[in-house]
Amino acid sequence: MLGCNEEVYILEARIGTIKEILFEKSLICFDLERMDNSSAKDIANHLAADGDRFKELKAFDDSKAGVKGLVDAGAKSLPKIFIRPPEELLEELNLGRSQAEFPVIDLSGIQSGHDQRKSVVDTLRRASEEWGFFQVANHGIPAKLLNGIVHGTCKFHELDAELKEKYYSRDLSRIVRYSSNIDLYQSNVATWRDTLTINLMTTYQVEPDELPEVCKNAVMDYMDHVTKLGETLFELLSEALGLKLDDLNAMECAKARNFVLHYYPACPEPDKTLGTRRHTDPSFLTILLQDQIGGLQVLRDNLWIDVPPVPGSLVVNIGDLLQIVSNDKFKSAEHRVLANRIGPRISIACFFSGVIAPPKIYSPIKELVSEECPALYKEFQVGEYLKSFYSNSLDKSRLQKLKI
Ligand code: OGA
Ligand code: NI
C-alpha cells in the first residue's frame, strides 16, 4: 500500500487518468457500477486540486470510526474538513427562519368510515402539495418499537470502534454497511453524522444474522412495521392524487427500501458545520423517526422551518420520484439537519424507492397528464437516477435533468 503523500503525488501528477488511480487502485473505495463517469472524473479533479484536504478526508475515512470516533478522541474543535466555507455561511443570512405550524395528520380516522377517511386524504393532499412534508400520528406502530429502534441505533453507534469497523464500507452493493458521510468525497465539506445502512434495494430482504447483534431484533421489527405503513400511505396518496387506491402500490413504489440509522454526536462547534446538508430525497416517499433532540428543518418559501419532535409520531416526506410521477402535483421539499452541542441525536429513515432494476421504467402517471397539463418529466429508470445521486454531493439537485 502506498503512503498518503505518494498517493497525493500520483493524484496530482496524473490528472488525466485520475479516475483509474483513485478508484481502480482503491485509494478510495467507490462503487463505479453505481456512479456516472463524468461525475467520477469531477470528483477526482476536485480532490486532486487540494491534496491536503484529500489527505484529511482519507485519514478520517480510514479511521473507520466516523464522527463518533473524533468525539471519543476528545475533539474540542472541528477538523478543517467539517468547516463550512464562508460563502455558504453568508448564504445562510439570506434564508430566514420561521416558526410556521407544521402539518400533523392523524391517521386514526382512516378506518372509521367514508367521511373521516376523506378528511384524512384531503389533509394529506394539501400537505403533499404545499409542504411535501408532514407528521403522522396514530400510525399504528407501537411506541415500544419506536423506542426499541432508537435505542438499537444508539447501541450500534456506541459499540467499541473495533466491533463497528468490520461494517465500515463505501461499497453500495453491501446490504449492511456503516460509514460516515455518504458523500464524503463528493461534497465540498463534511457533515457531523454517521450512518448504519440496511440496503434492501435489490435483494428486498436481509437475514437477521447479517445485522449487528445489538440492534438485530429492533431493526427487523421496525422494518416490518414501517414497510406496512409505507404501503398504507401509498394507498392514501393514490387517493389524494385522484387515482385508484392501489395504483401507487401497483407501480411497486414500496418495493426497494433503504433504511438509514443515523447518529449525530454532540458537536463542539455546531455553528460551523451541519448534521446533514440541504437536499431532497431520491425516493418516492420517506418515513423518518427522529428522537426528541430536534434540528431537522424544511425549506419553504426560502425560510427554514423546524420539524418539531413529537413523541410517538413519524415524519413523512415526498421524495423526488413521487414529485416526478405526480407531474409536480406533489412536492419534494429540501431539508437539512443542524448540528447541535447536545447529543447524540438519533434518527431513522426509510426510503421507498420503487423498482431499481431495468427494464422497469417510470414516468408521470398518465391520468395526471393531459393537453392542459402536459408531462413535465421524461421517462426514467430508478437505477440511473440513483447513480446520479450517489455520484454527487447530496445538495446537488437531480430533478432538473429529467425536465422536458
Ligand atoms: C435523510 C434525512 C433527516 C434526519 O436521511 O435523508 O434527511 O433527521 N435525514 O436525520
Ligand atoms: Ni432526507
Side-chain angles (χ1 to χ4, degrees):
M1 193 62 199
L2 295 169
C4 213
N5 281 340
E6 287 163 278
E7 289 166 9
V8 174
Y9 171 73
I10 293 174
L11 261 167
E12 285 170 345
R14 296 186 49 196
I15 190 90
T17 50
I18 210 90
K19 194 182 104 193
E20 290 74 30
I21 299 164
L22 272 177
F23 306 118
E24 277 154 31
K25 293 204 193 305
S26 297
L27 293 187
I28 300 174
C29 176
F30 266 133
D31 193 337
L32 278 184
E33 287 288 293
R34 290 170 179 76
M35 290 184 75
D36 52 66
N37 268 349
S38 63
S39 305
K41 185 122 191 138
D42 285 350
I43 298 168
N45 282 326
H46 112 153
L47 290 172
D50 187 346
D52 286 342
R53 182 166 173 273
F54 172 66
K55 268 195 279 183
E56 262 194 71
L57 289 173
K58 182 139 169 52
F60 171 67
D61 205 21
D62 286 346
S63 80
K64 303 185 185 224
V67 177
K68 172 76 167 67
L70 300 174
V71 172
D72 288 346
K76 295 279 178 290
S77 59
L78 294 188
K80 212 160 126 211
I81 52 171
F82 292 93
I83 299 179
R84 298 173 75 191
E87 60 278 13
E88 219 184 282
L89 292 170
L90 208 63
E91 215 180 272
E92 260 325 270
L93 302 175
N94 297 328
L95 297 171
R97 288 184 67 162
S98 154
Q99 296 301 323
E101 273 300 296
F102 194 77
V104 180
I105 301 177
D106 181 347
L107 292 184
S108 58
I110 62 176
Q111 317 285 12
S112 330
H114 177 264
D115 287 355
Q116 292 216 36
R117 185 171 174 105
K118 183 171 179 311
S119 142
V120 172
V121 169
D122 288 343
T123 321
L124 184 66
R125 179 187 309 110
R126 264 197 311 279
S128 305
E129 286 173 355
E130 292 167 18
W131 288 77
F133 250 87
F134 46 90
Q135 317 238 27
V136 291
N138 298 313
H139 43 65
I141 305 186
K144 200 166 147 230
L145 281 188
L146 304 183
N147 292 336
I149 185 76
V150 169
H151 284 126
T153 302
C154 196
K155 276 200 242 160
F156 171 79
H157 286 280
E158 294 186 354
L159 282 175
D160 288 347
E162 307 86 76
L163 296 173
K164 273 189 302 186
E165 205 180 87
K166 68 171 179 200
Y167 295 103
Y168 197 91
S169 172
R170 292 193 183 278
D171 175 354
L172 297 172
S173 67
R174 272 176 64 162
I175 294 183
V176 181
R177 171 169 56 86
Y178 147 67
S179 70
S180 187
N181 283 259
I182 57 163
D183 58 351
L184 184 70
Y185 294 108
Q186 291 90 325
S187 64
N188 64 342
V189 57
T191 57
W192 207 249
R193 173 176 95 169
D194 299 334
T195 302
L196 173 66
T197 301
I198 323 289
N199 159 16
L200 305 188
M201 300 290 262
T202 48
T203 51
Y204 306 131
Q205 56 189 352
V206 58
E207 290 304 320
D209 287 341
E210 291 179 61
L211 297 168
E213 189 62 38
V214 282
C215 57
K216 173 164 102 177
N217 294 337
V219 168
M220 292 303 288
D221 276 355
Y222 183 72
M223 288 197 310
D224 204 30
H225 279 75
V226 98
T227 299
K228 292 198 182 92
L229 177 61
E231 287 163 356
T232 303
L233 288 167
F234 279 121
E235 290 184 351
L236 294 166
L237 289 162
S238 293
E239 289 181 62
L241 285 169
L243 304 170
K244 290 196 295 300
L245 178 111
D246 259 351
D247 281 357
L248 290 174
N249 283 318
M251 286 164 62
E252 302 181 286
C253 290
K255 188 124 192 202
R257 286 150 300 146
N258 212 25
F259 293 85
V260 290
L261 287 62
H262 300 306
Y263 184 92
Y264 299 83
C267 178
E269 297 184 290
D271 297 338
K272 294 187 179 170
T273 193
L274 285 170
T276 306
R277 81 186 86 259
R278 63 191 281 178
H279 67 282
T280 57
D281 289 350
S283 58
F284 283 92
L285 194 72
T286 305
I287 300 181
L288 179 97
L289 167 60
Q290 62 168 337
D291 71 6
Q292 76 296 347
I293 301 252
L296 174 62
Q297 298 184 318
V298 182
L299 191 64
R300 191 170 182 231
D301 300 331
N302 265 351
L303 294 174
W304 284 113
I305 298 169
D306 293 326
V307 182
V310 177
S313 76
L314 291 161
V315 178
V316 179
N317 63 291
I318 307 293
D320 294 348
L321 309 183
L322 190 49
Q323 172 164 341
I324 297 174
V325 300
S326 75
N327 210 26
D328 271 357
K329 203 158 177 340
F330 289 170
K331 199 163 75 187
S332 169
E334 281 194 279
H335 52 286
R336 69 175 183 181
V337 181
L338 300 178
N340 197 329
R341 216 172 268 290
I342 303 165
R345 171 181 186 268
I346 309 287
S347 66
I348 295 109
C350 171
F351 304 102
F352 293 92
S353 301
V355 171
I356 292 181
K360 184 82 173 181
I361 284 176
Y362 290 95
S363 59
I365 296 169
K366 62 178 189 319
E367 286 85 344
L368 305 178
V369 172
S370 62
E371 223 164 277
E372 308 80 71
C373 191
L376 300 170
Y377 298 94
K378 300 177 235 177
E379 296 185 332
F380 68 101
Q381 284 183 6
V382 177
E384 288 301 308
Y385 198 77
L386 290 175
K387 226 177 192 182
S388 155
F389 175 78
Y390 286 118
S391 321
N392 288 294
S393 179
L394 212 57
D395 55 351
K396 195 159 166 206
S397 166
R398 297 153 297 272
L399 272 184
Q400 289 310 323
K401 273 211 208 148
L402 285 175
K403 281 244 159 152
I404 288 178

